[in-house]
Amino acid sequence: MKTLQAKPARTVRVILNTANRDRHQWAKIVEGSKVLHTGQPRYIKRVAKKKFNLDLMF
């Protein structure tokens, strides 16, 4: 059996402003220093899964 190793096409990270659900939350998807998407965590999860194949746990 062979192991395949692949580099991701794009390296992105997700930033969440606070983990406290009692406060207003927002998140953003960042590639390098460029912000690709900003919004509420549910929207960011959906976009990250669809466009970047990321499985996020907030």
Side-chain angles (χ1 to χ4, degrees):
M1 179 180 245
K2 292 185 179 182
T3 302
L4 297 177
Q5 293 182 355
K7 283 186 163 180
R10 298 171 81 176
T11 304
V12 297
R13 59 192 172 110
V14 177
I15 300 171
L16 181 66
N17 72 330
T18 182
N20 186 358
R21 290 181 163 255
D22 293 335
R23 299 189 54 157
H24 180 71
Q25 286 185 322
W26 56 264
K28 57 185 173 181
I29 299 174
V30 179
E31 180 180 27
S33 62
K34 184 178 176 186
V35 177
L36 302 176
H37 292 277
T38 303
Q40 293 181 344
R42 288 180 62 189
Y43 168 73
I44 294 299
K45 278 186 187 180
R46 186 172 64 238
V47 170
K49 177 78 171 169
K50 188 173 183 180
K51 288 191 173 186
F52 303 106
N53 198 22
L54 297 175
D55 192 20
L56 302 176
M57 302 289 284
F58 286 133

